[in-house]
Amino acid sequence: MEVASDQSRNAVGEGRHVETSLPTEWMGLVFTRNAQSADDEKLREALALSIDRESMNSVLLQGGGEPAGSLLPDWMTGYAFLFPVGADLARARQLRTEAHQAPSWTLGYDTGDPLARIIGERIALNARDAGLTLQPTNSATVDVQLVRLQLASLDPRLALTTLAALLGMPKPKLDDDTVENLYSAESALLQSEQIIPLMHLRIAVVTSPRVKGWRQDQNGDWPLQDVWLDREKP
Amino acid sequence: MSFRHRLLLVFGLTVFLCVGGVAWILSAVTRRAFERGNEDQTAALIAQFRREFSRRGEEITLRVENIARSGPATRMALAASRGSTDYAAYVNEAKTLADSQQLDSLEFVDDRGTILSSALWPAKYGYKDASLPAGLSSKDAVLRQEELPEGRVLELSAIRQVDVTDKPLYVIGGRRLDKEFLGSLELPAGMRTMLYRNLSKTFSPQLLINPSGIVQQPNVLAPLIERVQQQQQEATMLLHWSNNAADDESMHAIPLTGQDSGLLGILLVGNTRRPYIELRNRIRSAALLAGSIGIVLAVLFSGWAASRVTRPVEQLAEAARQVAEGNWNTRVVVHSADELGALAQSFNRMTEELLQQRARLVQTERVAAWRELARRLAHELKNPLFPLQLTVENLVRARQQRPDQFDEVFRESSSTLLAEITNLKTIISRFSEFSRMPQPQFQQIEINEIMHNVTRLLQVQLCLPERAPIECKLEFAEDLAPIAGDPELLHRAFSNLVLNAIDAMPLGGKLLLCTHQHGDRVMVEVADNGIGMTAEEHERLFTPYYTSKAHGTGLGLAIVQSVVSDHGGRISVHSEPGRGTRFIVELPRNWDKLESDKLQSASHTSSVNTLGASSQGATIVPESTPADR
């Protein structure tokens, strides 16, 4: 039975057997408009630097994800660690100070998703520490949208292309099959200052103690042929 | 405006004012009673709110205490005291415990004020709770503002600490003061409550809620809320929600303060004025109906009463008017024994007394006139009688002493006797003529023609050689309207005036005869610049048999006045001694008399002819001297 990533810890606490997947879901912030000015870009960068992804993952997600500074997870590309994920509140405040004006942004999220709500509220709190105003709202028209997207494929190129399309961004330039080219394409997307990656989320599955062999391999596949059911203990 | 109308107006106004006054008093008493009831209801509701507030506070305090004594709180306190708080372990703890104790908010805060877990804002872990220091001093539930992602809210909260180690853990729990809280208050009919959450320095309509949510027309309440914000005292205001007064609402505002006496909210208790307005309208309608009926009845009754009161007064006024016109026999019927009856009796006594006094005066004047007549007769008759006596005595003496000359004396004496006897006859005929003054026979006449006839006849008098020259000037208006009158009598009257004027100028002078039209009346003036009259002569001018002339009868001007009066006219005199006299005769048109006279003429032709013949035979009575006036 699939459970929310933030509930996996509770399930473990309750003595259940929880099997988690590799991070296959991308969570991030998407600005609904392109940056209008240099100040706008600074403010967007300040917002990205103000977010404490580690705390968000450990507390709110109960370790059910990985802090992300990229679109594709590290297990898929191997270079994701090159994109910074740590918060730098001092730098964020500096950038905020450098910007002449700081508009009050509205943050939209999926109101049917409790995790999105709590993550959005935390982001708002972190942004306030940097001097930014981010007001969570369920309004249809927002400045920033908190987005959760399942990676469409285990193929990084296809996943990136699909993800960019879902985020409304230009199609990445993937000229060849090299990792460098993939890195360049993803970097170009991130440098547009239109998206702020937050987390890569895992899928948690609670299984009966009798279920054996239910785990994901390194490629993200689920080899069901290895799954077997143990005899019920008296 | 007549006395009756004034009475009617006074009666009507009195009734109207009475009905209006009663209606006003009723309305005022009703309003006062309603306001008192309104105040009582408001006070009861406020007391209920405070009881509910207190009850909820106690309930919240109890629930927070239960949480503080619970195992999770103890474990959290122990973990917090070790200084290595695993926020992930407690992030959902506050929510779980709050739900179990039916609290809206719950926070666990360590001794440094750091939030370990928050039910309403789970993402706020690790942040400081700014309200903690203020809440520590109160054991009871207090009103406080709680910050949430969507903004601040007002809640009633209590704080308890878990002292399992030397580092306490604070448990802060509460319930929102929101529309559910307002909905839990039991309100009497016609009352409602609203809550303004004072979370902004200026009035914000979004902060105003009622049990159903958003308040319609919130800006109507803005002045009241702003007043409470400024004064931080209870205030009451009458709110007009629409043009219909029945929609008015008396709104009582109660400031809700926090532990630091800051204004955190305003409870608004509204009491509709619809029952009062409807009752007032019913009273006004009833008063209007009663007033209308009352005024109609008042008009009818006051009309009847006023007629009863004013009828005797009107009769008295009419009687007084008739008395003023000369009808002294007028009497007023006495209907009552009150003041008006006494007034009527006094009026009757007055007219009776006037009649008696007039009779006495007439009698006195008659006696005086007779005495004057006797004096004049004696004087007039004595003058011819004395020569008669002397002549007869002379005849007797001549017969005795000179018989030879008796024939001659007899002839002389006979002529003297005849002359004096003729004189006596003349005197007697004048008196006889005045006693037989005829009634005027009206016919259409031209005054100028009569005046021309008078001047022609008087040319003889003016041309006497022994008389000093008199210049006669005639100014007759050509546009004189014809009038109805007796030409013979008027001729005689104007001749008398002219003769008197001539007599008043023994040394000569100027005589002015003038006619002119004045409205529908004809004016005739006879003026001289002769010797004039004294004040005494002027006063007795028209008294019959009064004369100051040596040989006058005192009848000339009396005849003039009688003729003018019979024609419905007036005669006036202006005179100054030494400067002359001016008579002004004013004659009306008298067309009505002409018509009635024609009718009389048709039936009494013979008698008119007789009177006319008599008039033609009459002579003008000249006044020989001016002093005769």
Side-chain angles (χ1 to χ4, degrees):
Chain A
M1 181 179 65
E2 185 174 335
V3 295
S5 56
D6 58 326
Q7 297 296 320
S8 60
R9 184 167 176 168
N10 290 339
V12 173
E14 291 169 1
R16 296 185 179 183
H17 183 253
V18 177
E19 194 68 37
T20 57
S21 71
L22 293 169
T24 55
E25 186 178 8
W26 182 84
M27 175 182 275
L29 297 175
V30 180
F31 286 91
T32 53
R33 291 191 307 170
N34 293 327
Q36 304 294 309
S37 62
D39 281 352
D40 201 8
E41 291 179 355
K42 286 180 181 177
L43 291 172
R44 294 183 181 199
E45 187 179 353
L47 175 62
L49 289 172
S50 68
I51 298 170
D52 184 358
R53 295 174 179 80
E54 291 291 349
S55 173
M56 206 178 286
N57 178 49
S58 62
V59 178
L60 299 181
L61 297 178
Q62 302 283 298
E66 290 179 357
S70 60
L71 289 170
L72 299 176
D74 190 67
W75 68 268
M76 190 178 282
T77 62
Y79 59 77
F81 66 92
L82 294 174
F83 297 102
V85 295
D88 187 349
L89 199 56
R91 174 64 181 156
R93 284 174 180 157
Q94 183 186 351
L95 289 170
R96 161 66 189 91
T97 307
E98 289 173 0
H100 295 95
Q101 289 183 335
S104 176
W105 286 324
T106 52
L107 172 62
Y109 57 90
D110 180 4
T111 53
D113 183 0
L115 184 62
R117 175 190 171 89
I118 198 170
I119 294 290
E121 291 175 0
R122 187 68 185 182
I123 292 169
L125 282 168
N126 290 160
R128 191 170 67 179
D129 291 341
L132 301 170
T133 304
L134 196 62
Q135 181 62 47
T137 177
N138 52 10
S139 172
T141 306
V142 294
D143 299 311
V144 189
Q145 183 73 36
L146 179 62
V147 176
R148 287 177 68 175
L149 294 172
Q150 193 72 34
L151 296 179
S153 171
L154 296 177
D155 177 11
R157 289 169 181 76
L158 182 58
L160 183 64
T161 304
T162 308
L163 199 57
L166 291 173
L167 292 173
M169 302 191 67
K171 186 178 179 181
K173 294 181 178 178
L174 298 171
D175 300 328
D176 52 36
D177 293 340
T178 61
V179 175
E180 289 77 10
N181 182 245
L182 183 65
Y183 173 78
S184 298
E186 187 173 354
S187 295
L189 291 175
L190 292 172
Q191 284 170 3
S192 69
E193 299 288 357
Q194 199 164 351
I195 55 174
I196 300 176
L198 293 176
M199 214 71 68
H200 285 121
L201 304 177
R202 294 188 181 89
I203 295 172
V205 179
V206 176
T207 60
S208 168
R210 294 171 59 202
V211 176
K212 304 295 183 183
W214 182 274
R215 63 178 58 86
Q216 198 176 24
D217 63 15
Q218 293 180 349
N219 297 321
D221 293 328
W222 293 91
L224 294 180
Q225 65 274 14
D226 297 335
V227 178
W228 56 280
L229 195 63
D230 195 6
R231 183 178 299 176
E232 188 175 2
K233 293 179 180 177
Chain B
M1 185 182 288
S2 68
F3 182 52
R4 178 180 295 196
H5 289 154
R6 274 202 292 266
L7 272 179
L8 271 172
L9 186 62
V10 169
F11 283 149
L13 276 176
T14 303
V15 171
F16 181 77
L17 290 177
C18 287
V19 172
V22 169
W24 182 83
I25 290 170
L26 271 177
S27 183
V29 169
T30 305
R31 185 179 68 246
R32 183 69 197 123
F34 178 83
E35 286 174 351
R36 194 177 294 121
N38 195 357
E39 289 169 4
D40 292 343
Q41 283 186 334
T42 303
L45 187 62
I46 292 168
Q48 183 195 349
F49 172 80
R50 288 190 170 133
R51 282 196 303 274
E52 183 68 16
F53 200 80
S54 177
R55 189 187 67 76
R56 293 208 174 198
E58 292 171 1
E59 184 180 299
I60 290 167
T61 303
L62 182 63
R63 292 175 189 275
V64 172
E65 281 179 354
N66 289 339
I67 293 172
R69 285 197 296 267
S70 66
T74 303
R75 286 194 297 274
M76 206 180 301
L78 287 170
S81 66
R82 288 194 293 270
S84 57
T85 308
D86 181 7
Y87 296 114
Y90 306 114
V91 67
N92 294 319
E93 199 70 61
K95 176 76 169 122
T96 306
L97 290 172
D99 290 342
S100 67
Q101 291 294 327
Q102 296 178 330
L103 292 175
D104 292 328
S105 70
L106 182 66
E107 281 182 355
F108 291 96
V109 181
D110 67 11
D111 61 323
R112 290 168 294 180
T114 304
I115 297 172
L116 303 182
S117 180
S118 173
L120 279 179
W121 203 350
K124 205 179 180 184
Y125 65 89
Y127 282 84
K128 300 288 184 183
D129 187 344
S131 63
L132 184 60
L136 283 174
S137 60
S138 175
K139 290 185 177 180
D140 299 324
V142 295
L143 200 63
R144 62 194 285 264
Q145 290 181 3
E146 178 69 19
E147 189 180 20
L148 294 178
E150 59 268 24
R152 287 182 293 175
V153 297
L154 202 61
E155 70 168 23
L156 187 61
S157 63
I159 180 169
R160 288 293 179 270
Q161 63 184 56
V162 182
D163 294 320
V164 293
T165 66
D166 57 340
K167 293 180 179 179
L169 175 74
Y170 298 103
V171 182
I172 307 166
R175 295 189 69 177
R176 286 192 194 183
L177 231 59
D178 53 12
K179 60 182 183 180
E180 283 77 17
F181 176 78
L182 293 176
S184 67
L185 297 174
E186 295 177 2
L187 301 175
M191 295 190 75
R192 64 169 178 158
T193 56
M194 285 172 279
L195 180 68
Y196 181 76
R197 296 160 294 171
N198 193 39
L199 307 176
S200 170
K201 289 182 179 178
T202 57
F203 174 76
S204 175
Q206 289 78 19
L207 298 175
L208 184 64
I209 58 170
N210 62 13
S212 61
I214 298 174
V215 177
Q216 301 294 325
Q217 295 180 270
N219 289 329
V220 177
L221 290 156
L224 177 61
I225 290 171
E226 286 169 353
R227 188 199 293 180
V228 176
Q229 284 176 325
Q230 291 170 1
Q231 302 174 353
Q232 300 214 351
Q233 291 178 345
E234 293 187 12
T236 303
M237 189 177 280
L238 182 63
L239 302 179
H240 307 285
W241 294 101
S242 69
N243 293 329
N244 185 1
D247 292 335
D248 288 356
E249 189 174 23
S250 179
M251 192 64 68
H252 191 77
I254 305 148
L256 304 176
T257 55
Q259 199 171 18
D260 57 351
S261 301
L263 183 65
L264 298 180
I266 299 171
L267 178 70
L268 299 158
V269 180
N271 205 336
T272 179
R273 289 171 66 86
R274 182 175 294 276
Y276 162 67
I277 296 298
E278 290 176 352
L279 181 61
R280 188 191 66 182
N281 289 341
R282 282 198 292 272
I283 289 174
R284 285 183 178 175
S285 300
L288 193 62
L289 181 64
S292 303
I293 295 172
I295 287 172
V296 171
L297 290 177
V299 168
L300 294 175
F301 174 75
S302 58
W304 172 77
S307 66
R308 281 184 63 83
V309 171
T310 59
R311 189 178 298 123
V313 177
E314 289 171 351
Q315 288 175 348
L316 275 170
E318 175 61 21
R321 190 182 61 79
Q322 291 185 6
V323 169
E325 289 178 353
N327 186 8
W328 291 17
N329 290 316
T330 304
R331 293 290 183 274
V332 176
V333 180
V334 179
H335 292 288
S336 61
D338 53 8
E339 291 84 349
L340 288 172
L343 182 61
Q345 287 179 343
S346 298
F347 180 84
N348 289 340
R349 280 200 304 276
M350 179 188 73
T351 54
E352 191 174 345
E353 188 67 24
L354 281 173
L355 276 174
Q356 290 175 0
Q357 285 186 0
R358 188 178 69 167
R360 284 195 293 272
L361 183 62
V362 168
Q363 184 64 26
T364 304
E365 287 183 348
R366 187 176 294 160
V367 170
W370 274 112
R371 283 178 180 166
E372 184 66 21
L373 177 62
R375 189 185 70 78
R376 294 300 309 167
L377 275 173
H379 181 75
E380 291 291 329
L381 294 176
K382 191 166 63 177
N383 286 341
L385 282 176
F386 184 67
L388 282 173
Q389 183 183 4
L390 289 178
T391 304
V392 171
E393 287 175 355
N394 192 31
L395 276 173
V396 172
R397 197 164 44 246
R399 178 71 179 168
Q400 291 173 350
Q401 296 175 1
R402 291 175 293 178
D404 55 330
Q405 297 178 349
F406 177 77
D407 290 340
E408 186 180 357
V409 171
F410 179 77
R411 281 195 301 275
E412 292 176 356
S413 297
S414 296
S415 61
T416 301
L417 286 172
L418 286 173
E420 293 302 331
I421 287 169
T422 302
N423 193 15
L424 278 173
K425 286 174 68 177
T426 302
I427 292 170
I428 290 168
S429 69
R430 287 174 185 167
F431 282 96
S432 175
E433 181 185 1
F434 180 69
S435 66
R436 292 188 286 108
M437 276 291 291
Q439 287 298 311
Q441 301 301 311
F442 287 95
Q443 58 181 287
Q444 183 174 327
I445 58 171
E446 298 285 348
I447 287 296
N448 284 346
E449 186 180 341
I450 292 174
M451 293 304 291
H452 279 299
N453 292 335
V454 169
T455 53
R456 274 196 296 272
L457 291 173
L458 291 177
Q459 285 298 319
V460 179
Q461 290 288 332
L462 294 174
C463 296
L464 289 175
E466 66 271 19
R467 186 176 293 277
I470 293 175
E471 180 186 351
C472 183
K473 187 176 181 182
L474 305 180
E475 294 181 359
F476 297 154
E478 295 181 355
D479 57 347
L480 276 189
I483 65 169
D486 189 323
E488 298 298 330
L489 291 178
L490 289 175
H491 183 277
R492 187 193 302 178
F494 293 140
S495 296
N496 279 350
L497 289 178
V498 173
L499 286 172
N500 276 352
I502 292 171
D503 289 342
M505 296 181 289
L507 302 177
K510 292 182 179 177
L511 173 64
L512 173 65
L513 301 180
C514 172
T515 65
H516 60 90
Q517 189 78 35
H518 184 72
D520 59 347
R521 289 175 171 253
V522 172
M523 313 294 286
V524 179
E525 289 187 26
V526 179
D528 65 69
N529 60 349
I531 59 176
M533 289 183 285
T534 64
E536 181 185 357
E537 290 167 349
H538 190 281
E539 186 179 352
R540 303 188 64 184
L541 191 61
F542 298 106
T543 303
Y545 308 118
Y546 169 77
T547 183
S548 58
K549 294 178 183 176
H551 301 289
T553 61
L555 296 175
L557 287 178
I559 289 170
V560 172
Q561 188 189 35
S562 175
V563 170
V564 172
S565 178
D566 288 345
H567 280 76
R570 288 187 297 189
I571 182 168
S572 56
V573 184
H574 304 276
S575 180
E576 288 184 40
R579 302 193 64 178
T581 303
R582 182 162 61 118
F583 285 89
I584 301 172
V585 176
E586 180 181 337
L587 294 172
R589 185 171 291 177
N590 284 333
W591 289 118
D592 53 335
K593 293 179 179 177
L594 182 62
E595 293 299 322
S596 62
D597 200 60
K598 281 181 178 175
L599 291 174
Q600 288 179 0
S601 299
S603 57
H604 304 290
T605 307
S606 58
S607 65
V608 170
N609 289 339
T610 305
L611 288 170
S614 172
S615 298
Q616 286 174 357
T619 58
I620 298 172
V621 180
E623 300 298 306
S624 57
T625 63
D628 189 32
R629 289 173 179 161

